[in-house]
Amino acid sequence: MAGYNDRYEVVIGLEVHVELHTRTKAFCSCPNEFGSEPNTNVCPVCMGLPGVLPVINRTVLEYALRAGLALNCEIASFSKFDRKNYYYPDLPKNYQISQYDLPLCRNGYLDVAVDGGERPGARRIGITRVHMEEDAGKLMHGEAGTDYSLVDVNRCGVPLLEIVSEPDLRTPEEARAYLEKLKAILEYIDISDCKMEEGSLRCDANISVRPVGSTVLNPKSEVKNMNSFRAVQHALAGEAERLSAILAEGGQFLLETRGWDEASGLTVQMRIKEEASDYRYFPDPDLVPLVIGPELIDRVRSELPELPAAKQQRFMANYGLPAYDAGVLTGSRALADFYEACVAAYHDQKVVSNWVMGEFLKLLKAHNLEVAASRLTPSHLVAMLKLIDQGTISGKIAKTIFEEMFLSGGRPEEIVKARGLVQISDEGELGAVVRQVLEDHPGVAEDYRNGKEKALTFLVGQVMKATRGQANPQLVNRLIKERV
Amino acid sequence: MEIYDLTAHELADLLQRGEMTSEEVTGAIFQRIHDVEPDIQAYVTITEEQAYEAARQVDGERRQGKDLPYLAGVPAGLKDVLCTRGIRTTCSSRMLEHFIPPYSATVVEKLAAAGAVFTGKLNMDEFAMGSSTENSAFFPTHNPWDLSRVPGGSSGGPAAAVAAGEAPYALGTDTGGSIRQPASLCGIVGLKPTYGLVSRYGMVAFASSLDQIGPMTKDVRDCALVLNLIAGYDPLDSTSAPGAGLGAVPDYTAFLTGEIRGLRIGVPREFFGDGLDSAVAEAVKASLGKLAGLGAVVDECSFPHAEYSVPCYYLIAPAEASSNLARYDGVHYGYRAVAENGGAYDLMEMYTNTRSQGFGAEVKRRIMLGTYALSSGYYDAYYLQALKLRTLIRDDFNRLFDQFDAIVSPTSPTPPFRLGEKSDDPLSMYLSDVYTIPVNLAGIPAISIPCGYTDGLPVGLQLMGPVFSEGTLLRIAHAFEQDTPYHQDRAPLKRGHAAVSPAGREGGDSHGRL
Ligand SMILES: [Zn+2]
């Protein structure tokens, strides 16, 4: 990759939309569900029929307050809803109920480090505002050759939060880390499913470049259509590259909207903004202003769960974990809960940490699964660790069992039994194998006698191989040493 | 008196006493509708079949000895801006000519639950924008006192229907005077309740912060009875006042004591200035004398920001309307323009043609005005200024209500004008509402009651009070009504020039002057 980061500074701000997983929609009592048959979760209100009126779902306000507090925002004592007026067929009223000049939350921040965790090196990214609004529907365009499109109104009126960062992000990697951190927090406070692929978390980015040391903000590109964290990082890297090239050639920046094209790995121009769109915002006269008292804020604050930073500190203090381990384990609420369920039933917290951060995360990643979808539960892991401690299985066998538990959800005891994986700790039985190995490799035995430690490893390996890994390694070691 | 001339409470008494059935009353009303509708043209949709069904239902329940609400079985008309499940609701617009709502407005549900028998949907200015009902996309409605004249608007259909005996009472809506001005021009009673007293759910919005639904009746008692049925908190309307702002909705008929001694009534001199027809002024001034005669303390006062009401209103109402009416775009329901060659328009062509063809001139004028007022660069100069003026107007009222229990004025500056007289002059049409508009801007209640005649055409008196003072307004209106005969007069359905005044009552001549 070209060295745009040597001469040029990249300036990125992210606009994130998250769908709140309330039971009902924001302004009517229709179910808020993903994946229903088109136009089934609808009523006169969310269809924007003549004469209907919106009524705010109080849970939306509570969820928005949770987000505002978790993101260290100031909460407005007086807020209101405004109408954002624009015509589009997926918007039945041709205005979106949103918040304009008096958002519920503003001036927050998020501490973000590129490689995860909350260590020195984390940078504080400003959060300009968090506001509530309603989602629009979806257009489904007819097949090629047809002259119509269909509208699905199910998503109309689904509550959204718009979370706008300051242009504080400096690299595509940092933008990704910010998004991951934001997602973790939103999951911690349990207000959204945060699934980018289902559209319950959506991200648009504003990006510009300038010479290092400059404080001017050059015309920015707005990048859309990024459907994964990876896509955000790659799209921004590509766009930074493109903008840097323009700057290097002394070209002119355009204020434009570009879409990320996953297939080509490039951003493609969607439109040039000649002037700012005029949404003719004005206060929605159908909704009364929101007066948010300190009692409500205090109650929501007191009900907030422990957030990642605090949890990481507690993991370090209570479980004696290094900052890195604690950071990884608290990276998602589900993973932290998994870890804590294990250490509640097992004494060695570092051993648990190694298994969770190692094998467990590796398998989740390999199978592209969320913690919640894992068939392997904390009780599986704890039972397996106890089998190791009892000498029933070896650590090496345990890896095989772990993977099988992950795949099948079977109990470790049953897997051990079914596959005959019980460790061989019988001196007589192992003694015979050791004797045979020493006879087969007299030269290596000689090397070991002459002090070559590596020879021992080889001999142990041969015994393990002969017993298909079931030999008790401590016993094998002892027997070889005795007999050589 | 004919059955169709009776008030709702008189009909209710007949039903209670078993002297008539609801089916018979309903039959009498529909007979009247069939007789006079060719001249009046008050109805957009007549729901005769459903009405008889509802009437027979009430009659059946009454025979079974069921305890029925007082107005059960009495017919009622609805302005065609109130959504009715299964019955088309047009707002007198091409845009919604064939629109059948899947739900009913809260007020419609409430009246239905009280046993109302709906006669049909009444004509109006398109989307309630106008003061003469000439802006109906379908046909104009005629004033029963003089068929060559307008019934006022936008609730001209309800006003004319009640005045002509085509409905014992009706529900109208009032954004800038749309209940009171037609009530005045048609010689009936019309009440615009406090903003938030009556749920707006299911009323097709014109200007959300100004719209209210209210009764249009033959007398003040009917007005109180209907208000009893429609007032009250509605969880479906966020702007609806919990406990009706009073803790609970009172029985408004309890205020009809006839006793107004000692009540302080203010007369703002700004409401009697330029543009006020002298005969109207005279009738209103005569009414002030009657109020004083009844023991009220009537005093002159000042409303300094009166002259800003109309410009303020014509920024705020169109601004809200431009957004409220954006949904009529041909995509989801209502009128959609189709290409002449039979092919499909692209999206922008479809939007443009649908809205150009589906809306009438006045609606388009206000949408453009409102869009302009909200546009960036103009918002501060227009919309924001209008909001500030609105506060000043509210403050004027609040100051006056420190001194007075109610304020009076003419309802309309002129008697009913001729069809076509003002249709090419929007500004003069807008001034029809000069005395009613401040009330909507302030969110307060006001009632218009008949107070005399000029050349055989009715004149209306407007009483305004502080928020949630409907009881006091009804009390004053009722006392006045008891002391005057106008509410007993019925429109003559006269053609052409009105020359003879009913019972010789001209400008309150026979009842003394101020
Ligand atoms: Zn809905």
Side-chain angles (χ1 to χ4, degrees):
Chain A
M1 202 176 274
Y4 63 78
N5 33 9
D6 300 339
R7 282 183 297 151
Y8 300 132
E9 180 175 54
V10 183
V11 179
I12 299 169
L14 295 185
E15 252 183 55
V16 173
H17 287 89
V18 277
E19 284 182 0
L20 302 178
H21 63 204
T22 50
R23 199 175 50 77
T24 56
K25 292 186 182 182
F27 298 108
C28 64
S29 49
C30 288
N32 174 13
E33 280 169 5
F34 179 80
S36 303
E37 283 292 300
N39 299 313
T40 52
N41 294 338
V42 296
C43 73
V45 175
C46 54
M47 287 193 291
L49 292 190
V52 296
L53 297 170
V55 176
I56 179 72
N57 176 348
R58 301 295 297 184
T59 311
V60 172
L61 177 61
E62 290 230 358
Y63 282 13
L65 287 173
R66 272 193 219 170
L69 292 169
L71 297 172
N72 311 295
C73 290
E74 296 161 14
I75 307 296
S77 56
F78 182 90
S79 184
K80 66 180 168 71
F81 287 104
D82 300 279
R83 293 187 184 176
K84 180 179 182 178
N85 294 286
Y86 66 94
Y87 282 80
Y88 206 65
D90 67 3
L91 192 66
K93 302 188 295 294
N94 283 325
Y95 64 79
Q96 179 193 30
I97 303 177
S98 182
Q99 297 198 278
Y100 183 50
D101 54 339
L102 295 173
L104 186 66
C105 325
R106 53 167 110 208
N107 296 334
Y109 63 86
L110 200 53
D111 289 329
V112 174
V114 169
D115 48 358
E118 237 13 83
R119 287 173 310 291
R123 291 210 317 122
R124 181 155 291 187
I125 307 302
I127 289 178
T128 317
R129 57 188 282 156
V130 178
H131 76 244
M132 300 173 279
E133 60 186 28
E134 59 177 346
D135 211 341
K138 275 182 190 161
L139 288 188
M140 291 179 280
H141 299 290
E143 285 160 27
T146 58
D147 58 358
Y148 63 88
S149 298
L150 300 172
V151 191
D152 178 5
V153 187
N154 278 350
R155 206 176 64 180
C156 287
V158 163
L160 290 179
L161 288 187
E162 181 176 317
I163 301 167
V164 183
S165 86
E166 289 287 302
D168 287 348
L169 298 158
R170 288 293 170 267
T171 64
E173 294 74 23
E174 194 169 60
R176 178 180 182 156
Y178 165 87
L179 262 188
E180 285 174 345
K181 186 71 180 285
L182 182 61
K183 174 178 189 257
I185 288 180
L186 298 173
E187 283 175 346
Y188 263 76
I189 59 175
D190 196 20
I191 63 171
S192 172
D193 299 333
C194 293
K195 290 182 181 158
M196 277 190 103
E197 63 284 5
E198 287 182 8
S200 59
L201 190 152
R202 311 197 277 269
C203 177
D204 298 333
N206 290 313
I207 174 169
S208 62
V209 294
R210 61 188 175 195
V212 167
S214 163
T215 53
V216 294
L217 278 177
N218 281 317
K220 65 196 179 187
S221 302
E222 190 181 347
V223 186
K224 292 177 173 290
N225 290 352
M226 300 173 292
N227 297 321
S228 66
F229 290 150
R230 206 185 127 268
V232 171
Q233 186 182 335
H234 288 211
L236 289 175
E239 188 60 13
E241 196 79 30
R242 196 185 67 83
L243 292 172
S244 301
I246 292 175
L247 193 58
E249 290 158 13
Q252 276 290 310
F253 290 113
L254 298 170
L255 199 58
E256 59 186 315
T257 301
R258 301 182 68 87
W260 167 244
D261 181 45
E262 187 81 47
S264 68
L266 295 168
T267 64
V268 185
Q269 186 179 81
M270 293 166 81
R271 58 182 173 269
I272 298 175
K273 289 192 172 179
E274 275 147 8
E275 53 192 284
S277 307
D278 186 356
Y279 292 115
R280 303 190 309 281
Y281 281 101
F282 75 107
D284 192 330
D286 287 334
L287 289 159
V288 290
L290 300 163
V291 177
I292 295 110
E295 309 77 26
L296 177 62
I297 296 174
D298 288 347
R299 179 176 63 72
V300 173
R301 196 194 304 275
S302 72
E303 288 169 9
L304 277 184
E306 186 182 34
L307 294 173
K311 206 182 272 286
Q312 185 189 12
Q313 291 303 317
R314 185 170 59 80
F315 276 27
M316 290 163 68
N318 288 10
Y319 306 133
L321 297 176
Y324 180 78
D325 291 29
V328 173
L329 290 173
T330 55
S332 84
R333 186 174 177 174
L335 189 67
D337 289 350
F338 186 99
Y339 175 77
E340 290 215 281
C342 295
V343 295
Y346 190 75
H347 63 282
D348 192 333
Q349 292 124 351
K350 178 64 187 163
V351 166
V352 172
S353 159
N354 289 345
W355 278 96
V356 172
M357 288 173 57
E359 291 304 298
F360 189 46
L361 283 185
K362 195 177 84 191
L363 286 167
L364 284 174
K365 195 170 177 196
H367 293 89
N368 198 18
L369 281 179
E370 299 281 338
V371 174
S374 163
R375 306 180 70 175
L376 183 150
T377 66
S379 130
H380 285 94
L381 174 56
V382 169
M384 188 197 79
L385 293 175
K386 287 182 177 165
L387 289 178
I388 298 175
D389 293 349
Q390 289 155 11
T392 310
I393 55 171
S394 66
K396 189 165 159 56
I397 291 283
K399 286 199 180 176
T400 312
I401 293 172
F402 192 91
E403 180 158 8
E404 175 139 0
M405 293 194 296
F406 185 88
L407 295 174
S408 70
R411 299 291 309 172
E413 308 81 357
E414 285 156 13
I415 295 169
V416 164
K417 204 186 286 173
R419 298 194 32 198
L421 295 173
V422 179
Q423 181 164 267
I424 304 166
S425 300
D426 183 275
E427 261 198 67
E429 194 181 340
L430 272 187
V433 180
V434 169
R435 194 177 325 121
Q436 189 60 47
V437 166
L438 292 177
E439 278 177 27
D440 291 351
H441 305 281
V444 184
E446 186 57 32
D447 286 349
Y448 180 57
R449 219 169 281 127
N450 295 333
K452 270 182 95 176
E453 281 295 319
K454 263 195 164 171
L456 177 63
T457 315
F458 175 80
L459 293 170
V460 172
Q462 291 304 306
V463 175
M464 297 308 276
K465 194 173 165 189
T467 57
R468 289 186 328 222
Q470 281 167 269
N472 179 331
Q474 283 85 34
L475 189 56
V476 174
N477 264 301
R478 206 190 80 216
L479 289 174
I480 292 175
K481 284 179 188 164
E482 280 174 12
R483 306 207 174 178
V484 171
Chain B
M1 271 215 177
E2 304 287 341
I3 294 301
Y4 59 75
D5 281 331
L6 298 179
T7 62
H9 62 87
E10 286 164 344
L11 291 170
D13 289 340
L14 286 176
L15 295 173
Q16 309 254 294
R17 291 198 301 265
E19 291 171 29
M20 280 190 91
T21 63
S22 174
E23 192 174 352
E24 287 163 351
V25 169
T26 303
I29 297 299
F30 278 108
Q31 187 56 54
R32 177 68 172 172
I33 291 174
H34 294 311
D35 290 345
V36 305
E37 188 57 10
D39 287 336
I40 305 292
Q41 306 241 65
Y43 281 90
V44 173
T45 304
I46 294 173
T47 53
E48 195 162 355
E49 213 171 290
Q50 293 98 320
Y52 280 119
E53 208 171 290
R56 283 191 286 266
Q57 167 97 15
V58 172
D59 287 338
E61 287 173 2
R62 203 182 296 280
R63 270 196 304 277
Q64 288 162 21
K66 224 177 140 188
D67 194 18
L68 295 172
Y70 179 59
L71 290 182
V74 176
L78 299 169
K79 187 178 181 181
D80 208 15
V81 72
L82 300 172
C83 283
T84 42
R85 183 174 45 248
I87 296 164
R88 73 176 183 148
T89 299
T90 69
C91 294
S92 289
S93 178
R94 290 270 168 244
M95 196 59 101
L96 293 178
E97 188 171 357
H98 305 291
F99 175 68
I100 298 178
Y103 78 105
S104 287
T106 297
V107 289
V108 173
E109 298 280 12
K110 284 185 164 192
L111 286 190
V117 172
F118 296 121
T119 50
K121 307 298 291 290
L122 294 157
N123 201 18
M124 53 189 279
D125 286 298
E126 185 179 7
F127 284 104
M129 297 178 186
S131 308
S132 69
T133 313
E134 291 166 292
N135 294 336
S136 166
F138 308 133
F139 43 77
T141 296
H142 298 260
N143 191 314
W145 294 87
D146 177 346
L147 298 173
S148 69
R149 292 175 190 270
V150 302
S154 66
S155 308
V162 172
E166 293 186 86
Y169 73 93
L171 292 187
T173 63
D174 191 316
T175 305
S178 281
I179 286 176
R180 291 159 287 155
Q181 185 257 16
S184 167
L185 268 49
C186 290
I188 63 165
V189 175
L191 172 74
K192 198 267 335 167
T194 304
Y195 186 79
L197 182 66
V198 178
S199 167
R200 294 185 294 119
Y201 187 77
M203 168 193 176
V204 180
F206 160 16
S208 313
S209 75
L210 302 161
D211 296 339
Q212 266 291 286
I213 299 165
M216 302 183 75
T217 59
K218 288 176 177 165
D219 70 5
V220 175
R221 178 164 298 276
D222 276 2
C223 189
L225 286 166
V226 176
L227 188 60
N228 279 351
L229 296 180
I230 61 174
Y233 175 69
D234 180 5
L236 297 177
D237 177 357
S238 309
T239 63
S240 149
L246 301 155
V249 179
D251 172 6
Y252 289 103
T253 62
F255 291 91
L256 311 183
T257 59
E259 179 56 69
I260 60 166
R261 267 176 298 182
L263 280 183
R264 299 156 306 165
I265 294 177
V267 187
R269 66 182 76 88
E270 291 82 357
F271 284 35
F272 289 81
D274 287 347
L276 176 60
D277 179 277
S278 60
V280 170
E282 220 158 289
V284 171
K285 282 177 183 164
S287 309
L288 299 177
K290 287 193 196 83
L291 290 171
L294 290 165
V297 183
V298 181
D299 252 323
E300 204 175 87
C301 62
S302 173
F303 193 96
H305 295 98
E307 60 175 308
Y308 300 110
S309 297
V310 172
C312 172
Y313 175 86
Y314 278 98
L315 287 169
I316 290 175
E320 293 182 11
S322 71
S323 172
N324 283 333
L325 271 63
R327 70 191 66 194
Y328 309 113
D329 61 0
V331 173
H332 298 265
Y333 51 80
Y335 179 77
R336 177 189 289 185
V338 280
E340 272 173 36
N341 61 15
Y345 281 134
D346 71 24
L347 183 64
M348 196 46 72
E349 288 170 336
M350 196 278 283
Y351 278 158
T352 310
N353 287 301
T354 294
R355 290 172 67 80
S356 302
Q357 296 162 21
F359 288 136
E362 182 61 26
V363 172
K364 282 186 269 197
R365 177 159 33 240
R366 297 203 197 184
I367 289 173
M368 286 189 277
L369 197 62
T371 304
Y372 189 76
L374 289 177
S375 298
S376 77
Y378 300 100
Y379 183 92
D380 290 358
Y382 295 110
Y383 187 72
L384 213 57
Q385 286 302 313
L387 290 185
K388 287 178 186 163
L389 279 174
R390 188 175 185 172
T391 305
L392 293 175
I393 288 160
R394 228 180 242 146
D395 291 347
D396 275 4
F397 273 118
N398 286 338
R399 258 194 306 278
L400 287 177
F401 292 132
D402 286 342
Q403 293 174 56
F404 298 104
D405 298 297
I407 306 290
V408 305
S409 76
T411 305
S412 160
T414 66
F417 40 91
R418 289 183 196 287
L419 282 144
E421 191 179 326
K422 295 187 183 180
S423 23
D424 295 331
D425 185 359
L427 283 181
S428 105
M429 188 77 95
Y430 292 173
L431 289 172
S432 282
D433 297 324
V434 61
Y435 305 133
T436 49
I437 277 173
V439 166
N440 300 75
L441 291 172
I444 60 172
I447 189 169
S448 177
I449 50 172
C451 75
Y453 300 91
T454 161
D455 287 335
L457 299 168
V459 176
L461 175 74
Q462 178 175 234
L463 295 161
M464 301 160 262
V467 289
F468 302 113
S469 68
E470 280 80 0
T472 306
L473 295 183
L474 288 164
R475 181 171 147 202
I476 300 171
H478 175 254
F480 180 85
E481 189 180 82
Q482 293 302 295
D483 199 46
T484 55
Y486 314 119
H487 65 289
Q488 288 161 356
D489 298 337
R490 294 296 177 257
L493 270 65
K494 214 173 347 183
R495 286 174 198 284
H497 298 263
V500 186
S501 62
R505 292 184 204 110
E506 279 293 333
D509 277 358
S510 54
H511 296 273
R513 282 179 191 209
L514 193 65

